[in-house]
Amino acid sequence: ATGLRVYHDARLFSLILSSGLPTFDDPSPKTLYFNFQEYQGCDPELVLPREYLAHFRALFEDQSRVWFLHNAKYDMGLLAKEGLYLKGTVHCTEALALVEYNEHLKYSLDACAARLGLQKSDAVEEYISHHGLWEWVDIPGKKKRDKQKYFAKVTLDVIAPYGLVDGEITYRLGQHQLMELHLTSLSTPANLPNIRSVVETERELTKTLFAMEQHGIRISPEYCRSAAQFEQARYETAAREFQEISGMEFKDSNQVLAKAFEAADEAYPLTEKGNPSFTDDVLETFTSPLAKIVQEYRSAAKNANTYYRNFLWHMGRDGIVHANIRQAGAKTGRVSCADPNLQNLPKEEDFDQPFLVRRAFIPREDSFFFMIDYDQMEYRLMLDRAEEMELIQKIRDGLDVHLATADMLGIGRSPAKQINFAMIYGMGNDELARSLKLPVEEAKALKRLYFSKLTQVKKFIRGVTDTAERRGYIFNWLGRRAYFPDKKYAYKAPNSWDQGGCADVVKVALNRVAAFL
């Protein structure tokens, strides 16, 4: 394709289709490159008219087909621009690689290929680098520039073999995953959750997420521009105030802040690597007015760039933002979101402020926004699995999860909430003490009290951890597996079980809502 921004100016200029490898009995090519782009001096016979894309419609709409695509939603978005949609089963080899084994560091096509002993071609990257077919692009809200590569300018004799290798690798990767997942399914006793359910959910989810992305969400560009200007004025004012008080030009760097706070007689902590730490939690403990100024600067700069200007950058010509919902977002099975990250927006409650980030989004005509939210689902799922009936009954009687825990322990809701999540996340005593802002011995005592009251939760946590240590993996209610090749990380197993279980609740629900709509 001509670029990565599917909902902007990117368009496909070739299609690569693979149905396997040549064999002794059938040596004909099984991977084909269809070129729709004219190249200077290129044989006209090697260029298909763009209207020929319509001839692929019957193939793509064949519901009996299984399609292997790596980062499938990207390809589906490019095809949709040509009026082409995949009606068969879509098997995203990136998403299913995570289902097969969730402990790899990378899930890119080249990383997945390398694990099978296959290698992507470097020819195109070398050509782009050698001929300077790229440029740096500054994206609002990103600290590092993006390298924009121009694949459409690579010559046909280089790009075609490269594409053929990609097509062949994707096919072989998909076939490998089918075999591995099938073997896992066969090895699972009939009375236990089967990974087959996870595979079916993820395959359907690819289409659900694609539909969500295509629909997108509308923003008000006028609001975003006004808000960005307002926030810019805020952080420019903060920078001037910092300079007036400290005598130093403001820069949000450890070196500058260290000098400024040393001059203000503020002692700052060091990270494990020995670097100064100026997180918001640290700044909250400072008495110097510089601390509030730095926080003001950071807040305004983040609002202006990470949110408002970033929304405008990713907005299409129609005023719609089409975020990338990453299906293989986290090893637990959760999705993540990027370009822009709409999954992590600030929870603003001061409605008297002139600008709020969530007000940037506006419903389409004849539509409205409403919120569907699972209430404290992680802790509820864990209680259900642990069968902690006394606490469950308190919740059924009307208390919220954390208030019910507080009631049982005789403490306030806030520390009860902290310790509830600490137990799920496998938090150690020191970390729990920091979270509760208590001495370590008091945190230990509270932990002992917690487990003395919630014996079934203690049994659940110990059981899942022991299973991860002994067997090397656990599985959740749907059949998703989380692997623990190193026993020292088995303490994370309860969190993997819970987060992955909640992720699958959401994924199943998303598919059901999509089907309903």
Side-chain angles (χ1 to χ4, degrees), residues 9-63:
D9 53 359
R11 292 192 76 187
L12 68 83
F13 61 82
S14 66
L15 283 177
I16 301 100
L17 298 180
S18 179
S19 60
L21 300 172
T23 63
F24 182 79
D25 296 325
D26 184 4
S28 61
K30 297 294 186 298
T31 307
L32 303 172
Y33 187 99
F34 299 90
N35 173 51
F36 298 94
Q37 178 167 264
E38 292 186 17
Y39 294 85
Q40 189 174 4
C42 177
D43 183 349
E45 291 279 319
L46 298 178
V47 183
L48 288 169
R50 202 161 190 94
E51 56 266 24
Y52 272 42
L53 280 164
H55 292 297
F56 289 89
R57 184 166 287 111
L59 176 67
F60 289 152
E61 293 185 357
D62 181 351
Q63 296 193 18

Short mmCIF file of all heavy atoms in Angstrom, two decimals, residues 9-63:
data_model
loop_
_atom_site.label_atom_id
_atom_site.label_comp_id
_atom_site.label_asym_id
_atom_site.label_seq_id
_atom_site.Cartn_x
_atom_site.Cartn_y
_atom_site.Cartn_z
N ASP A 9 -4.92 8.81 3.23
CA ASP A 9 -4.62 8.75 1.81
C ASP A 9 -4.04 7.42 1.35
O ASP A 9 -3.73 7.25 0.18
CB ASP A 9 -3.67 9.88 1.42
CG ASP A 9 -2.42 9.90 2.29
OD1 ASP A 9 -2.32 9.05 3.19
OD2 ASP A 9 -1.56 10.77 2.08
N ALA A 10 -3.87 6.46 2.24
CA ALA A 10 -3.28 5.17 1.85
C ALA A 10 -4.22 4.38 0.93
O ALA A 10 -5.43 4.31 1.18
CB ALA A 10 -2.95 4.34 3.09
N ARG A 11 -3.65 3.81 -0.13
CA ARG A 11 -4.42 2.94 -1.03
C ARG A 11 -3.53 1.75 -1.43
O ARG A 11 -2.31 1.87 -1.50
CB ARG A 11 -4.84 3.68 -2.30
CG ARG A 11 -5.86 4.78 -2.08
CD ARG A 11 -6.45 5.26 -3.38
NE ARG A 11 -7.43 4.31 -3.91
CZ ARG A 11 -7.99 4.42 -5.12
NH1 ARG A 11 -7.65 5.41 -5.93
NH2 ARG A 11 -8.88 3.54 -5.54
N LEU A 12 -4.16 0.65 -1.71
CA LEU A 12 -3.38 -0.50 -2.15
C LEU A 12 -2.93 -0.29 -3.60
O LEU A 12 -3.62 0.35 -4.39
CB LEU A 12 -4.18 -1.80 -2.01
CG LEU A 12 -5.41 -2.04 -2.88
CD1 LEU A 12 -5.03 -2.59 -4.25
CD2 LEU A 12 -6.36 -3.01 -2.20
N PHE A 13 -1.74 -0.78 -3.93
CA PHE A 13 -1.29 -0.77 -5.32
C PHE A 13 -0.96 -2.19 -5.80
O PHE A 13 -0.60 -2.40 -6.94
CB PHE A 13 -0.11 0.17 -5.55
CG PHE A 13 1.14 -0.16 -4.77
CD1 PHE A 13 2.03 -1.13 -5.21
CD2 PHE A 13 1.45 0.54 -3.61
CE1 PHE A 13 3.18 -1.41 -4.49
CE2 PHE A 13 2.60 0.27 -2.90
CZ PHE A 13 3.48 -0.72 -3.34
N SER A 14 -1.10 -3.15 -4.87
CA SER A 14 -0.93 -4.54 -5.29
C SER A 14 -1.66 -5.46 -4.31
O SER A 14 -1.95 -5.08 -3.17
CB SER A 14 0.55 -4.92 -5.35
OG SER A 14 1.12 -4.91 -4.06
N LEU A 15 -1.98 -6.64 -4.79
CA LEU A 15 -2.55 -7.70 -3.96
C LEU A 15 -1.64 -8.91 -4.06
O LEU A 15 -1.19 -9.26 -5.15
CB LEU A 15 -3.94 -8.10 -4.44
CG LEU A 15 -5.13 -7.19 -4.14
CD1 LEU A 15 -6.38 -7.76 -4.80
CD2 LEU A 15 -5.35 -7.07 -2.65
N ILE A 16 -1.39 -9.57 -2.92
CA ILE A 16 -0.64 -10.82 -2.93
C ILE A 16 -1.54 -11.89 -2.34
O ILE A 16 -2.03 -11.75 -1.21
CB ILE A 16 0.65 -10.71 -2.09
CG1 ILE A 16 1.55 -9.60 -2.63
CG2 ILE A 16 1.41 -12.04 -2.11
CD1 ILE A 16 1.47 -8.32 -1.85
N LEU A 17 -1.79 -12.92 -3.10
CA LEU A 17 -2.63 -14.03 -2.64
C LEU A 17 -1.81 -15.32 -2.67
O LEU A 17 -1.14 -15.61 -3.66
CB LEU A 17 -3.86 -14.20 -3.53
CG LEU A 17 -4.83 -13.02 -3.59
CD1 LEU A 17 -5.99 -13.34 -4.53
CD2 LEU A 17 -5.35 -12.68 -2.22
N SER A 18 -1.88 -16.07 -1.58
CA SER A 18 -1.16 -17.34 -1.50
C SER A 18 -2.11 -18.44 -1.06
O SER A 18 -2.94 -18.23 -0.17
CB SER A 18 -0.01 -17.24 -0.50
OG SER A 18 0.68 -18.47 -0.41
N SER A 19 -1.99 -19.57 -1.68
CA SER A 19 -2.78 -20.74 -1.26
C SER A 19 -1.87 -21.92 -0.98
O SER A 19 -2.27 -23.08 -1.09
CB SER A 19 -3.81 -21.10 -2.34
OG SER A 19 -3.14 -21.41 -3.55
N GLY A 20 -0.63 -21.64 -0.66
CA GLY A 20 0.28 -22.72 -0.30
C GLY A 20 1.58 -22.68 -1.07
O GLY A 20 1.96 -21.66 -1.64
N LEU A 21 2.27 -23.81 -1.09
CA LEU A 21 3.56 -23.93 -1.75
C LEU A 21 3.46 -24.89 -2.93
O LEU A 21 2.67 -25.83 -2.90
CB LEU A 21 4.61 -24.46 -0.76
CG LEU A 21 4.85 -23.62 0.49
CD1 LEU A 21 5.76 -24.38 1.46
CD2 LEU A 21 5.47 -22.30 0.13
N PRO A 22 4.26 -24.67 -3.98
CA PRO A 22 4.31 -25.65 -5.07
C PRO A 22 4.76 -27.01 -4.54
O PRO A 22 5.54 -27.09 -3.60
CB PRO A 22 5.37 -25.05 -6.03
CG PRO A 22 5.43 -23.61 -5.68
CD PRO A 22 5.15 -23.52 -4.21
N THR A 23 4.23 -28.06 -5.12
CA THR A 23 4.60 -29.42 -4.72
C THR A 23 5.15 -30.17 -5.93
O THR A 23 5.08 -29.69 -7.07
CB THR A 23 3.39 -30.18 -4.16
OG1 THR A 23 2.40 -30.32 -5.21
CG2 THR A 23 2.77 -29.44 -2.98
N PHE A 24 5.68 -31.35 -5.69
CA PHE A 24 6.22 -32.17 -6.77
C PHE A 24 5.10 -32.53 -7.76
O PHE A 24 5.30 -32.51 -8.98
CB PHE A 24 6.84 -33.45 -6.20
CG PHE A 24 7.45 -34.34 -7.26
CD1 PHE A 24 8.70 -34.05 -7.79
CD2 PHE A 24 6.76 -35.45 -7.73
CE1 PHE A 24 9.25 -34.86 -8.77
CE2 PHE A 24 7.31 -36.26 -8.71
CZ PHE A 24 8.57 -35.97 -9.23
N ASP A 25 3.92 -32.84 -7.20
CA ASP A 25 2.80 -33.20 -8.06
C ASP A 25 2.17 -32.00 -8.75
O ASP A 25 1.59 -32.12 -9.83
CB ASP A 25 1.71 -33.93 -7.24
CG ASP A 25 2.23 -35.25 -6.68
OD1 ASP A 25 3.02 -35.90 -7.39
OD2 ASP A 25 1.84 -35.60 -5.56
N ASP A 26 2.27 -30.83 -8.11
CA ASP A 26 1.69 -29.62 -8.69
C ASP A 26 2.68 -28.47 -8.52
O ASP A 26 2.62 -27.71 -7.56
CB ASP A 26 0.37 -29.29 -7.99
CG ASP A 26 -0.32 -28.08 -8.63
OD1 ASP A 26 0.17 -27.56 -9.63
OD2 ASP A 26 -1.36 -27.65 -8.07
N PRO A 27 3.61 -28.32 -9.47
CA PRO A 27 4.67 -27.31 -9.33
C PRO A 27 4.24 -25.89 -9.71
O PRO A 27 5.06 -24.98 -9.66
CB PRO A 27 5.75 -27.82 -10.31
CG PRO A 27 4.97 -28.54 -11.35
CD PRO A 27 3.79 -29.15 -10.67
N SER A 28 2.99 -25.68 -10.07
CA SER A 28 2.55 -24.34 -10.47
C SER A 28 2.61 -23.38 -9.27
O SER A 28 2.46 -23.80 -8.12
CB SER A 28 1.12 -24.39 -11.00
OG SER A 28 0.23 -24.84 -9.99
N PRO A 29 2.83 -22.07 -9.55
CA PRO A 29 2.92 -21.09 -8.45
C PRO A 29 1.63 -21.05 -7.63
O PRO A 29 0.53 -21.04 -8.18
CB PRO A 29 3.15 -19.77 -9.18
CG PRO A 29 3.66 -20.14 -10.53
CD PRO A 29 3.01 -21.45 -10.86
N LYS A 30 1.77 -21.02 -6.31
CA LYS A 30 0.61 -20.93 -5.41
C LYS A 30 0.51 -19.54 -4.77
O LYS A 30 -0.41 -19.26 -4.02
CB LYS A 30 0.71 -21.98 -4.31
CG LYS A 30 0.69 -23.42 -4.82
CD LYS A 30 -0.64 -23.77 -5.45
CE LYS A 30 -0.70 -25.25 -5.82
NZ LYS A 30 0.29 -25.65 -6.82
N THR A 31 1.51 -18.70 -5.04
CA THR A 31 1.50 -17.33 -4.53
C THR A 31 1.62 -16.38 -5.72
O THR A 31 2.53 -16.51 -6.53
CB THR A 31 2.65 -17.09 -3.54
OG1 THR A 31 2.60 -18.09 -2.52
CG2 THR A 31 2.53 -15.72 -2.89
N LEU A 32 0.69 -15.44 -5.82
CA LEU A 32 0.61 -14.56 -6.99
C LEU A 32 0.61 -13.09 -6.57
O LEU A 32 0.05 -12.73 -5.54
CB LEU A 32 -0.66 -14.86 -7.79
CG LEU A 32 -0.83 -16.31 -8.27
CD1 LEU A 32 -2.21 -16.51 -8.85
CD2 LEU A 32 0.24 -16.66 -9.28
N TYR A 33 1.25 -12.27 -7.40
CA TYR A 33 1.34 -10.82 -7.17
C TYR A 33 0.56 -10.11 -8.26
O TYR A 33 0.87 -10.24 -9.44
CB TYR A 33 2.81 -10.40 -7.20
CG TYR A 33 3.06 -8.96 -6.80
CD1 TYR A 33 3.48 -8.64 -5.52
CD2 TYR A 33 2.91 -7.91 -7.71
CE1 TYR A 33 3.74 -7.32 -5.14
CE2 TYR A 33 3.16 -6.59 -7.35
CZ TYR A 33 3.57 -6.31 -6.05
OH TYR A 33 3.82 -5.01 -5.69
N PHE A 34 -0.48 -9.38 -7.86
CA PHE A 34 -1.31 -8.64 -8.81
C PHE A 34 -0.96 -7.16 -8.69
O PHE A 34 -1.17 -6.55 -7.64
CB PHE A 34 -2.80 -8.85 -8.50
CG PHE A 34 -3.22 -10.30 -8.61
CD1 PHE A 34 -3.15 -11.15 -7.51
CD2 PHE A 34 -3.69 -10.82 -9.81
CE1 PHE A 34 -3.54 -12.47 -7.60
CE2 PHE A 34 -4.08 -12.15 -9.91
CZ PHE A 34 -4.00 -12.98 -8.81
N ASN A 35 -0.41 -6.59 -9.75
CA ASN A 35 0.08 -5.22 -9.73
C ASN A 35 -0.91 -4.26 -10.39
O ASN A 35 -1.33 -4.47 -11.53
CB ASN A 35 1.43 -5.14 -10.46
CG ASN A 35 1.90 -3.71 -10.61
OD1 ASN A 35 1.95 -2.97 -9.64
ND2 ASN A 35 2.23 -3.32 -11.83
N PHE A 36 -1.25 -3.18 -9.68
CA PHE A 36 -2.20 -2.18 -10.21
C PHE A 36 -1.53 -0.81 -10.39
O PHE A 36 -2.21 0.18 -10.56
CB PHE A 36 -3.40 -2.05 -9.26
CG PHE A 36 -4.18 -3.32 -9.12
CD1 PHE A 36 -3.90 -4.20 -8.09
CD2 PHE A 36 -5.17 -3.65 -10.03
CE1 PHE A 36 -4.62 -5.40 -7.97
CE2 PHE A 36 -5.87 -4.84 -9.92
CZ PHE A 36 -5.59 -5.71 -8.88
N GLN A 37 -0.23 -0.79 -10.34
CA GLN A 37 0.48 0.48 -10.41
C GLN A 37 1.39 0.54 -11.64
O GLN A 37 2.11 -0.42 -11.93
CB GLN A 37 1.33 0.67 -9.14
CG GLN A 37 2.15 1.93 -9.14
CD GLN A 37 2.71 2.25 -7.76
OE1 GLN A 37 2.12 3.02 -7.02
NE2 GLN A 37 3.84 1.66 -7.42
N GLU A 38 1.37 1.66 -12.32
CA GLU A 38 2.27 1.86 -13.46
C GLU A 38 3.64 2.31 -12.96
O GLU A 38 3.75 3.13 -12.06
CB GLU A 38 1.70 2.92 -14.41
CG GLU A 38 0.43 2.46 -15.13
CD GLU A 38 -0.03 3.48 -16.17
OE1 GLU A 38 0.79 4.34 -16.54
OE2 GLU A 38 -1.20 3.40 -16.57
N TYR A 39 4.68 1.73 -13.55
CA TYR A 39 6.05 2.11 -13.24
C TYR A 39 6.71 2.63 -14.52
O TYR A 39 6.40 2.17 -15.62
CB TYR A 39 6.85 0.90 -12.72
CG TYR A 39 6.39 0.38 -11.37
CD1 TYR A 39 5.34 -0.54 -11.27
CD2 TYR A 39 7.00 0.79 -10.20
CE1 TYR A 39 4.92 -1.02 -10.04
CE2 TYR A 39 6.59 0.31 -8.96
CZ TYR A 39 5.55 -0.59 -8.89
OH TYR A 39 5.14 -1.07 -7.67
N GLN A 40 7.60 3.55 -14.35
CA GLN A 40 8.29 4.11 -15.51
C GLN A 40 9.07 3.01 -16.23
O GLN A 40 9.87 2.29 -15.63
CB GLN A 40 9.25 5.23 -15.08
CG GLN A 40 9.86 6.00 -16.24
CD GLN A 40 10.68 7.19 -15.77
OE1 GLN A 40 10.87 7.40 -14.57
NE2 GLN A 40 11.18 7.96 -16.71
N GLY A 41 8.81 2.88 -17.53
CA GLY A 41 9.51 1.88 -18.34
C GLY A 41 9.01 0.47 -18.13
O GLY A 41 9.60 -0.50 -18.63
N CYS A 42 7.90 0.32 -17.35
CA CYS A 42 7.38 -1.02 -17.04
C CYS A 42 6.56 -1.55 -18.21
O CYS A 42 5.84 -0.81 -18.89
CB CYS A 42 6.52 -0.95 -15.78
SG CYS A 42 5.75 -2.50 -15.32
N ASP A 43 6.69 -2.83 -18.48
CA ASP A 43 5.91 -3.50 -19.52
C ASP A 43 4.42 -3.32 -19.20
O ASP A 43 3.97 -3.72 -18.11
CB ASP A 43 6.28 -4.98 -19.56
CG ASP A 43 5.56 -5.74 -20.67
OD1 ASP A 43 4.62 -5.17 -21.27
OD2 ASP A 43 5.93 -6.89 -20.90
N PRO A 44 3.62 -2.72 -20.09
CA PRO A 44 2.18 -2.53 -19.83
C PRO A 44 1.47 -3.84 -19.49
O PRO A 44 0.43 -3.83 -18.80
CB PRO A 44 1.65 -1.93 -21.13
CG PRO A 44 2.85 -1.30 -21.77
CD PRO A 44 4.02 -2.16 -21.39
N GLU A 45 2.01 -4.97 -19.96
CA GLU A 45 1.40 -6.26 -19.66
C GLU A 45 1.44 -6.57 -18.16
O GLU A 45 0.69 -7.43 -17.68
CB GLU A 45 2.16 -7.37 -20.42
CG GLU A 45 1.97 -7.33 -21.93
CD GLU A 45 0.66 -7.98 -22.33
OE1 GLU A 45 0.32 -9.02 -21.75
OE2 GLU A 45 -0.02 -7.43 -23.21
N LEU A 46 2.33 -5.89 -17.41
CA LEU A 46 2.49 -6.17 -15.98
C LEU A 46 1.66 -5.22 -15.11
O LEU A 46 1.84 -5.18 -13.90
CB LEU A 46 3.97 -6.06 -15.59
CG LEU A 46 4.92 -7.06 -16.28
CD1 LEU A 46 6.35 -6.81 -15.84
CD2 LEU A 46 4.51 -8.49 -15.98
N VAL A 47 0.79 -4.46 -15.74
CA VAL A 47 -0.06 -3.52 -14.99
C VAL A 47 -1.53 -3.85 -15.24
O VAL A 47 -1.99 -3.84 -16.39
CB VAL A 47 0.21 -2.06 -15.40
CG1 VAL A 47 -0.63 -1.11 -14.55
CG2 VAL A 47 1.69 -1.73 -15.27
N LEU A 48 -2.26 -4.16 -14.16
CA LEU A 48 -3.69 -4.42 -14.28
C LEU A 48 -4.46 -3.11 -14.13
O LEU A 48 -4.13 -2.30 -13.26
CB LEU A 48 -4.15 -5.39 -13.19
CG LEU A 48 -3.73 -6.85 -13.33
CD1 LEU A 48 -4.04 -7.59 -12.04
CD2 LEU A 48 -4.44 -7.51 -14.49
N PRO A 49 -5.48 -2.86 -14.94
CA PRO A 49 -6.34 -1.69 -14.71
C PRO A 49 -7.00 -1.80 -13.34
O PRO A 49 -7.36 -2.90 -12.90
CB PRO A 49 -7.39 -1.79 -15.82
CG PRO A 49 -6.77 -2.69 -16.85
CD PRO A 49 -5.89 -3.64 -16.11
N ARG A 50 -7.17 -0.68 -12.65
CA ARG A 50 -7.71 -0.70 -11.28
C ARG A 50 -9.12 -1.29 -11.22
O ARG A 50 -9.50 -1.92 -10.23
CB ARG A 50 -7.68 0.70 -10.68
CG ARG A 50 -7.69 0.67 -9.18
CD ARG A 50 -7.21 1.95 -8.56
NE ARG A 50 -7.03 1.77 -7.13
CZ ARG A 50 -5.90 1.43 -6.52
NH1 ARG A 50 -4.82 1.25 -7.23
NH2 ARG A 50 -5.84 1.28 -5.21
N GLU A 51 -9.88 -1.11 -12.30
CA GLU A 51 -11.25 -1.65 -12.29
C GLU A 51 -11.26 -3.18 -12.23
O GLU A 51 -12.28 -3.79 -11.94
CB GLU A 51 -12.04 -1.15 -13.50
CG GLU A 51 -11.41 -1.44 -14.85
CD GLU A 51 -10.57 -0.27 -15.35
OE1 GLU A 51 -10.09 0.53 -14.50
OE2 GLU A 51 -10.39 -0.16 -16.57
N TYR A 52 -10.10 -3.80 -12.50
CA TYR A 52 -10.04 -5.27 -12.43
C TYR A 52 -10.18 -5.78 -10.99
O TYR A 52 -10.42 -6.97 -10.77
CB TYR A 52 -8.71 -5.77 -13.02
CG TYR A 52 -8.75 -6.01 -14.51
CD1 TYR A 52 -9.39 -5.11 -15.36
CD2 TYR A 52 -8.16 -7.14 -15.06
CE1 TYR A 52 -9.43 -5.31 -16.72
CE2 TYR A 52 -8.19 -7.36 -16.43
CZ TYR A 52 -8.81 -6.44 -17.26
OH TYR A 52 -8.85 -6.66 -18.60
N LEU A 53 -10.01 -4.86 -10.00
CA LEU A 53 -10.19 -5.27 -8.61
C LEU A 53 -11.58 -5.85 -8.38
O LEU A 53 -11.77 -6.72 -7.52
CB LEU A 53 -9.96 -4.07 -7.68
CG LEU A 53 -8.50 -3.72 -7.38
CD1 LEU A 53 -8.40 -2.32 -6.78
CD2 LEU A 53 -7.88 -4.75 -6.44
N ALA A 54 -12.54 -5.37 -9.15
CA ALA A 54 -13.92 -5.86 -8.99
C ALA A 54 -14.01 -7.36 -9.26
O ALA A 54 -14.91 -8.04 -8.75
CB ALA A 54 -14.85 -5.10 -9.92
N HIS A 55 -13.08 -7.90 -10.07
CA HIS A 55 -13.12 -9.33 -10.39
C HIS A 55 -12.79 -10.21 -9.18
O HIS A 55 -13.01 -11.43 -9.22
CB HIS A 55 -12.14 -9.65 -11.53
CG HIS A 55 -12.56 -9.06 -12.85
ND1 HIS A 55 -13.71 -9.43 -13.50
CD2 HIS A 55 -11.98 -8.11 -13.63
CE1 HIS A 55 -13.82 -8.75 -14.63
NE2 HIS A 55 -12.78 -7.93 -14.73
N PHE A 56 -12.22 -9.59 -8.11
CA PHE A 56 -11.89 -10.36 -6.91
C PHE A 56 -13.10 -10.51 -5.98
O PHE A 56 -13.04 -11.25 -5.01
CB PHE A 56 -10.76 -9.68 -6.13
CG PHE A 56 -9.42 -9.77 -6.80
CD1 PHE A 56 -9.02 -8.81 -7.72
CD2 PHE A 56 -8.56 -10.82 -6.53
CE1 PHE A 56 -7.78 -8.89 -8.33
CE2 PHE A 56 -7.32 -10.91 -7.13
CZ PHE A 56 -6.93 -9.94 -8.05
N ARG A 57 -14.19 -9.78 -6.28
CA ARG A 57 -15.31 -9.72 -5.34
C ARG A 57 -15.87 -11.11 -5.03
O ARG A 57 -16.11 -11.45 -3.87
CB ARG A 57 -16.41 -8.80 -5.88
CG ARG A 57 -17.58 -8.62 -4.90
CD ARG A 57 -18.49 -7.47 -5.27
NE ARG A 57 -17.85 -6.18 -5.00
CZ ARG A 57 -17.47 -5.34 -5.94
NH1 ARG A 57 -17.67 -5.62 -7.22
NH2 ARG A 57 -16.89 -4.21 -5.62
N ALA A 58 -16.09 -11.91 -6.05
CA ALA A 58 -16.68 -13.25 -5.82
C ALA A 58 -15.79 -14.10 -4.92
O ALA A 58 -16.29 -14.83 -4.05
CB ALA A 58 -16.91 -13.95 -7.16
N LEU A 59 -14.48 -14.00 -5.12
CA LEU A 59 -13.54 -14.76 -4.29
C LEU A 59 -13.59 -14.29 -2.84
O LEU A 59 -13.71 -15.09 -1.90
CB LEU A 59 -12.12 -14.60 -4.84
CG LEU A 59 -10.99 -15.25 -4.04
CD1 LEU A 59 -11.09 -16.76 -4.08
CD2 LEU A 59 -9.63 -14.78 -4.57
N PHE A 60 -13.55 -12.97 -2.64
CA PHE A 60 -13.52 -12.42 -1.29
C PHE A 60 -14.84 -12.63 -0.56
O PHE A 60 -14.86 -12.70 0.67
CB PHE A 60 -13.19 -10.93 -1.33
CG PHE A 60 -11.75 -10.64 -1.70
CD1 PHE A 60 -11.42 -9.44 -2.32
CD2 PHE A 60 -10.74 -11.54 -1.44
CE1 PHE A 60 -10.10 -9.16 -2.66
CE2 PHE A 60 -9.43 -11.28 -1.78
CZ PHE A 60 -9.10 -10.09 -2.39
N GLU A 61 -15.92 -12.72 -1.28
CA GLU A 61 -17.23 -12.87 -0.63
C GLU A 61 -17.65 -14.33 -0.49
O GLU A 61 -18.76 -14.61 -0.04
CB GLU A 61 -18.29 -12.08 -1.41
CG GLU A 61 -18.05 -10.58 -1.32
CD GLU A 61 -19.15 -9.75 -1.97
OE1 GLU A 61 -20.08 -10.37 -2.55
OE2 GLU A 61 -19.08 -8.51 -1.89
N ASP A 62 -16.77 -15.26 -0.86
CA ASP A 62 -17.03 -16.69 -0.68
C ASP A 62 -16.97 -17.01 0.81
O ASP A 62 -15.90 -16.96 1.42
CB ASP A 62 -15.99 -17.50 -1.46
CG ASP A 62 -16.22 -19.00 -1.36
OD1 ASP A 62 -17.07 -19.44 -0.56
OD2 ASP A 62 -15.53 -19.75 -2.08
N GLN A 63 -18.10 -17.34 1.40
CA GLN A 63 -18.16 -17.55 2.85
C GLN A 63 -17.47 -18.83 3.31
O GLN A 63 -17.25 -19.02 4.50
CB GLN A 63 -19.62 -17.54 3.31
CG GLN A 63 -20.29 -16.19 3.09
CD GLN A 63 -21.62 -16.07 3.81
OE1 GLN A 63 -21.92 -16.82 4.73
NE2 GLN A 63 -22.43 -15.12 3.38
#
